[in-house]
């Protein structure tokens, strides 16, 4: 069968760099770090005392108090990002087929803060079972997709994807595949996370996964740098409107880029560590390029997973050279996690947004906080260190890799 074309017609986000797309993109190009001391809780006893929190966030600016109380913050971020993306797409909801419009929304963890609060209340009340009736509907990872669907009356496919840090990339790939197979016309797809909590920070600290550079949070996320000591956890969400091309054309929609292909593989190696030679990462990029019916030399920009961890950065850059060969040295590559922090289940959508904006504007966002390159990383690669660069981007590839060995790569290309 002939597969349909899929385009991106709306974007939305809330994260440590901004409460909307414009603020976020402007700060990315300015090389702003979203990291700072944790304000959500007293982190003084934790090994890591900083994160990329959403700054100046007041839920009452977006929701009435009774509504906000029924939603974990990860769901609030989901709705805020989706609202901006829907507005950006310029839909007339009375003129689209809501039965062919769906929502696939990801979260790696879901309502972690809600779970923590309910258990603390339980233990502090002599283990008396007085649980909030909204405990389960606030906590479960699929609830954000449900809220978005209810708000917009999208009655097509509606579910969540959960695959750690690859979660929202999988959400986008699923939406892409359903549209190109003719199963739907429109999807709101993306992911959100609120894991800057005692449990989130404490849990990742126990794994020695987080940076502990408490004396200098803004330079703590330093992908590919010899001095990196772990990732910086971040909060937020990002949404994309994916739409069947003829449907978008008929309604006169603006088009940011074409969703050209996606790849999904598994390392089948270790629950948290990547394959040391980047085996799964190599395969997932090859699968994505093949799915997009492109050649490696057609790619101009790669948004790397680039978490600022010891093993991950080395394995991923090996994989890039494995896939692209000599063309690897002609690519522009960067890790926007150096600015946003690691949004866990939302990171795929966040970095898809950055990749699309690189295509749309001809600007490569930088990898900030570079001081000295890791000796085991190929020095001939162009990491776009510290400053953005102008470049015509024909196609961009974005990587996400999750605990459990889950790998996903997305390819977007300039719309023609």
């Amino acid at each position: 069968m002939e597969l349909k074309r899929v385009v991106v017609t709306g974007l939305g986000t809330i994260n440590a760099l901004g409460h909307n797309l414009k603020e976020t993109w402007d700060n990315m190009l300015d090389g702003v770090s979203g990291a700072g001391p944790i304000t959500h809780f007293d982190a003084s006893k934790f090994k890591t005392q900083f994160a990329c929190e959403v700054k100046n966030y007041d839920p009452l600016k977006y929701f009435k108090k009774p509504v906000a109380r029924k939603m974990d913050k990860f769901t609030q971020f989901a709705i805020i990002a989706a609202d901006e993306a829907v507005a950006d797409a310029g839909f007339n909801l009375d003129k689209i087929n809501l039965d062919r419009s769906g929502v696939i929304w990801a979260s790696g963890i879901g309502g972690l803060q809600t779970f923590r609060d309910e258990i603390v209340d339980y233990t502090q009340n002599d283990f008396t079972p007085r649980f909030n009736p909204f405990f389960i509907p606030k906590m479960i990872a699929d609830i954000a997709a449900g809220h978005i669907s209810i708000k917009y009356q999208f009655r097509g496919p509606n579910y969540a994807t959960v695959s750690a840090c690859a979660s929202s990339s999988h959400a986008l790939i699923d939406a892409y595949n359903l549209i190109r197979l003719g199963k739907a016309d429109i999807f709101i797809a993306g992911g959100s996370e609120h894991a800057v909590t005692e449990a989130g920070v404490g849990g990742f600290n126990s794994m020695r996964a987080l940076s502990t550079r408490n004396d200098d949070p803004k330079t703590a996320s330093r992908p590919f740098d010899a001095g990196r000591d772990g990732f910086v956890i971040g909060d937020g969400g990002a949404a994309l409107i994916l739409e069947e091309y003829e449907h978008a054309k008929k309604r006169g929609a603006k088009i940011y880029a074409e969703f050209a292909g996606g790849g999904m593989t598994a390392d089948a190696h270790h629950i948290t560590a990547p394959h040391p030679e980047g085996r799964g990462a190599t395969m997932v990029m090859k699968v994505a390029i093949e799915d997009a019916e492109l050649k490696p030399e057609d790619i101009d920009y790669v948004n790397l997973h680039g978490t600022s961890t010891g093993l991950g950065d080395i394995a991923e850059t090996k994989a890039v050279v494995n896939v692209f060969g000599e063309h690897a040295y002609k690519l522009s590559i960067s890790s926007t996690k150096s600015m946003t922090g690691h949004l866990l289940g939302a990171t795929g959508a966040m970095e898809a947004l950055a990749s699309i904006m690189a295509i749309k504007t001809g600007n490569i966002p930088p990898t900030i906080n570079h001081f000295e390159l890791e000796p085991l990383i190929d020095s001939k690669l162009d990491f776009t260190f510290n400053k953005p660069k102008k470049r015509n981007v024909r196609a961009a590839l974005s990587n996400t890799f999750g605990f459990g060995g889950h790998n996903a790569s997305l390819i977007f290309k300039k719309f023609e």
Side-chain angles (χ1 to χ4, degrees):
M1 64 178 293
E2 184 177 351
L3 297 174
K4 297 179 182 295
R5 296 174 70 185
V6 181
V7 293
V8 180
T9 57
L11 298 172
T13 186
I14 181 168
N15 61 83
L17 296 184
H19 287 212
N20 55 55
L21 174 63
K22 185 180 187 308
E23 287 179 9
T24 299
W25 185 241
D26 287 349
N27 281 325
M28 276 190 182
L29 294 185
D30 286 341
V32 173
S33 169
I38 290 172
T39 63
H40 293 165
F41 62 92
D42 180 3
S44 60
K45 295 181 180 179
F46 288 74
K47 294 177 183 177
T48 296
Q49 299 166 11
F50 61 93
C52 285
E53 296 177 325
V54 175
K55 310 294 189 296
N56 304 312
Y57 178 66
D58 178 2
L60 299 185
K61 290 182 179 178
Y62 301 94
F63 309 98
K64 293 181 180 179
K65 190 172 183 179
V67 175
R69 291 177 62 188
K70 296 175 183 177
M71 294 186 293
D72 187 271
K73 200 176 286 185
F74 94 95
T75 299
Q76 295 175 18
F77 292 155
I79 293 171
I80 292 165
D83 284 350
E84 183 185 11
V86 169
D88 189 36
F91 290 129
N92 182 337
L93 295 174
D94 294 329
K95 293 186 177 181
I96 64 174
N97 186 344
L98 299 174
D99 293 330
R100 289 183 57 82
S101 303
V103 182
I104 306 178
W105 197 267
S107 183
I109 301 176
L112 188 60
Q113 183 68 49
T114 294
F115 188 87
R116 176 264 179 206
D117 290 347
E118 290 294 323
I119 297 303
V120 168
D121 287 348
Y122 174 58
T123 58
Q124 289 180 347
N125 285 290
D126 298 321
F127 298 93
T128 302
R130 297 174 181 170
F131 287 90
N132 189 308
F134 291 100
F135 172 33
I136 301 301
K138 285 176 70 175
M139 179 193 70
I140 52 180
D142 66 296
I143 202 66
H147 274 289
I148 296 167
S149 169
I150 292 166
K151 180 167 186 176
Y152 289 104
Q153 290 295 289
F154 279 19
R155 296 187 291 268
N158 179 259
Y159 59 94
T161 52
V162 180
S163 47
C165 305
S167 297
S168 53
S169 290
H170 282 142
L172 292 167
I173 291 171
D174 277 8
Y176 162 68
N177 281 330
L178 286 168
I179 292 173
R180 66 176 178 165
L181 288 170
K183 305 295 186 182
D185 300 324
I186 296 166
F187 271 101
I188 303 170
S192 57
E193 206 79 84
H194 170 49
V196 183
T197 66
E198 291 99 328
V201 174
F204 282 115
N205 266 161
S206 70
M207 298 173 64
R208 300 181 180 179
L210 296 183
S211 171
T212 57
R213 203 178 295 277
N214 295 312
D215 58 337
D216 193 10
K218 289 192 178 299
T219 70
S221 182
R222 45 179 76 183
F224 320 112
D225 194 83
R228 70 196 184 283
D229 69 332
F231 74 83
V232 177
I233 193 169
D235 278 346
L240 279 67
I241 303 298
L242 303 184
E243 192 167 353
E244 192 273 321
Y245 166 60
E246 293 296 338
H247 187 278
K249 179 181 176 182
K250 185 177 179 180
R251 69 179 187 87
K254 75 172 182 295
I255 294 173
Y256 282 98
E258 183 168 356
F259 197 152
M264 299 180 284
T265 68
D267 273 8
H269 171 68
H270 189 273
I271 58 171
T272 57
H275 188 276
E277 297 303 317
R279 183 173 60 193
T282 296
M283 182 59 67
V284 78
M285 286 186 274
K286 287 182 176 180
V287 171
I289 292 168
E290 181 180 352
D291 187 52
E293 298 183 347
L294 297 175
K295 295 176 289 187
E297 53 266 33
D298 293 326
I299 307 295
D300 293 317
Y301 171 54
V302 177
N303 189 300
L304 297 169
H305 189 54
T307 55
S308 187
T309 55
L311 298 176
D313 289 4
I314 295 170
E316 185 176 12
T317 52
K318 284 182 179 179
V320 168
V321 176
N322 289 342
V323 171
F324 290 95
E326 284 302 311
H327 184 64
Y329 308 112
K330 299 176 183 178
L331 292 168
S332 292
I333 60 181
S334 68
S335 170
T336 47
K337 284 186 184 71
S338 59
M339 297 176 281
T340 64
H342 192 343
L343 275 64
L344 307 181
T347 199
M350 186 74 244
E351 289 155 21
L353 181 149
S355 300
I356 290 162
M357 290 301 291
I359 293 169
K360 186 69 174 176
T361 69
N363 289 289
I364 305 295
T367 306
I368 66 168
N369 300 328
H370 173 63
F371 302 96
E372 179 185 355
L373 187 67
E374 159 63 54
L376 296 177
I377 289 176
D378 194 330
S379 62
K380 293 184 291 182
L381 294 169
D382 178 8
F383 290 96
T384 323
F385 281 132
N386 297 326
K387 293 182 180 180
K389 66 165 53 176
K390 296 289 293 185
R391 176 167 183 169
N392 177 46
V393 180
R394 298 166 299 163
L397 183 151
S398 181
N399 285 333
T400 45
F401 312 130
F403 286 172
H406 313 297
N407 307 311
S409 292
L410 312 173
I411 295 181
F412 300 93
K413 67 181 183 181
K414 186 169 288 190
F415 173 73
E416 295 178 359

